[in-house]
Amino acid sequence: MSEQRTALDLLRRMRRNRATPAVRSLVRETVLKVDDLIQPLFVRAGDGKPEEVDSMPGVVRHSVTTLTEECRKLEQNGIRAIAIFPCIESSRKDGVGSHAHDPGNILFEAIRSVKTATPGLAIIADVALDPYTSHGHDGLLDARGDVENDSTVDALKRLALAQAEAGADIVAPSDMMDGRVKAIRLALDAAGLQQTGILAYAAKYASAYYGPFRDAVKSGSGQSSRKLDKRGYQMDPGNVREALHEVTLDEEEGADMVMVKPAGAYLDIIRAVRGHTLLPVAAYQVSGEYAQIHAASRLGWLDYEATRDESLLAIKRAGADMILTYFAAEVATSL
Ligand code: PBG
């Protein structure tokens, strides 16, 4: 008996478009580009060597000198934007984050140095008080220990203004206070800084994925700061409509771009926000997302580069126009 192999009667065979690398590249819908990527960087006072952050392999706390060198390299590798976060010595922290307004604050020095060395690199400065407060919260506390909205907005406005004056191209309030975008826009305009942009952390969730970042900036002054409860201002992970409401408000208040954060566990939010606003949408692949990929690959359980690249592609596919990621520098050299 002859083995008659009958072909299935199919007009549509999806695999034809997957047959070779060349055809696959023709039909690929989402491609990551270097200029989609924003590199977050940490800076601290002093002139020492870069300090490793244990929970974020490959990420360091720079001195102003090494930060500036790193920015030159990033620019050569095609990165167009960075986000700078300060790590402040605990002796300079207090309950109201007064060091945020000290002209000697290392962040302002870092911004000036990077702007001078690499004027073409866009500098994004994070506007929040948590690097400067002893309790690690993003604002000023009221008598009950809750973050007080309006006095915090006033402090944020002054911080944003100082960052812009130091040379930040974009200020990025990450605090989730109500009304801060409007207050910052008005303050910048009144100071003649109409060209300074605002990237609003519009939908920032109260997430466990920020743990390693809190190690990196030595947030607060105790071990407990890793588990700080920020649910009184950051969003509930169960909410979607509220994210759109936040985006609408930040847009009305004058935001130039809006952000969703974290990214990987919030792809549905990125997608929804992309459909909801005409503004550019940023997504922040946060420290915990980065740490997860490193940890699993160290255990030999995931392929590092493949997982890294897939995680970024997914964020772009969900609708992000730009991605803040600790992988930016290394991915830039492989794109
Ligand atoms: C603080 C801030 C945080 C991050 C960016 N800005 C931490 C927090 O809200 O507790 C997290 C970034 C990351 O995890 O990579 N305003």
Side-chain angles (χ1 to χ4, degrees):
M1 229 172 63
S2 70
E3 275 279 335
Q4 177 75 40
R5 286 216 265 152
T6 47
L8 292 174
D9 180 15
L10 292 178
L11 288 179
R12 180 67 56 209
R13 285 183 183 269
M14 297 300 282
R15 293 184 55 192
R16 277 194 288 264
N17 284 349
R18 299 176 198 143
T20 66
V23 174
R24 289 197 290 274
S25 79
L26 288 176
V27 302
R28 186 165 300 130
E29 298 173 42
T30 307
V31 180
L32 196 67
K33 300 190 282 60
V34 183
D35 39 9
D36 300 328
L37 304 175
I38 300 167
Q39 176 72 51
L41 295 165
F42 299 104
V43 68
R44 66 183 170 88
D47 240 351
K49 282 210 237 91
E51 270 174 22
E52 303 278 334
V53 179
D54 291 341
S55 50
M56 300 178 73
V59 172
V60 298
R61 298 182 198 93
H62 281 287
S63 66
V64 170
T65 311
T66 65
L67 177 83
T68 309
E69 283 163 15
E70 178 67 17
C71 287
R72 284 208 182 87
K73 278 190 231 148
L74 289 171
E75 199 177 38
Q76 281 162 13
N77 291 335
I79 295 283
R80 313 298 305 270
I82 57 159
I84 312 184
F85 298 90
C87 170
I88 305 294
E89 309 97 289
S90 53
S91 63
R92 292 196 184 274
K93 299 186 187 192
D94 60 25
V96 293
S98 20
H99 189 59
H101 311 294
D102 181 343
N105 174 347
I106 191 68
L107 176 67
F108 305 143
E109 190 186 328
I111 294 172
R112 282 191 295 266
S113 172
V114 171
K115 204 20 95 189
T116 308
T118 47
L121 195 64
I123 302 180
I124 301 173
D126 205 69
V127 186
L129 295 182
D130 56 306
Y132 311 101
T133 54
S134 42
H135 42 72
H137 279 292
D138 292 28
L140 310 175
L141 303 184
D142 64 16
R144 297 205 322 263
D146 291 334
V147 174
E148 214 284 314
N149 195 84
D150 298 12
S151 56
T152 298
V153 168
D154 188 66
L156 295 171
K157 176 183 87 182
R158 289 190 286 138
L159 174 58
L161 204 54
Q163 292 168 337
E165 276 162 358
D169 301 273
I170 296 172
V171 292
S174 69
D175 53 285
M176 293 298 281
M177 296 302 118
D178 291 319
R180 87 281 207 219
V181 172
K182 181 179 178 191
I184 291 171
R185 184 71 271 157
L186 293 176
L188 291 171
D189 289 355
L193 293 160
Q194 283 85 0
Q195 290 308 316
T196 306
I198 301 179
L199 165 58
Y201 283 69
K204 176 170 178 178
Y205 287 85
S207 172
Y209 286 96
Y210 306 150
F213 174 95
R214 293 184 193 166
D215 292 342
V217 299
K218 301 186 179 161
S219 176
S221 34
Q223 283 290 334
S224 58
S225 63
R226 242 176 163 251
K227 287 200 164 214
L228 267 179
D229 184 354
K230 299 192 175 183
R231 285 176 296 185
Y233 42 108
Q234 300 180 349
M235 280 184 48
D236 187 321
N239 294 354
V240 182
R241 284 195 313 271
E242 191 186 349
L244 305 184
H245 204 162
E246 284 282 5
V247 166
T248 298
L249 289 172
D250 285 350
E251 187 169 349
E252 287 168 1
E253 290 182 28
D256 299 287
M257 308 169 178
V258 289
M259 192 196 295
V260 174
K261 176 187 176 187
Y266 295 82
L267 296 181
D268 57 329
I269 309 298
I270 297 173
R271 167 56 53 200
V273 167
R274 181 58 292 162
H276 182 74
T277 178
L278 295 177
L279 292 178
V281 175
Y284 198 146
Q285 184 184 50
V286 301
S287 57
E289 302 178 64
Y290 177 84
Q292 263 182 339
I293 292 173
H294 271 279
S297 67
R298 280 187 173 191
L299 286 165
W301 292 352
L302 284 177
D303 179 279
Y304 175 72
E305 286 179 15
T307 314
R308 175 195 72 193
D309 294 351
E310 188 177 331
S311 71
L312 291 168
L313 192 67
I315 295 165
K316 176 133 188 220
R317 190 194 62 233
D321 301 293
M322 63 196 105
I323 306 172
L324 289 96
T325 171
Y326 300 96
F327 293 122
E330 61 177 73
V331 170
T333 59
S334 71
L335 283 176

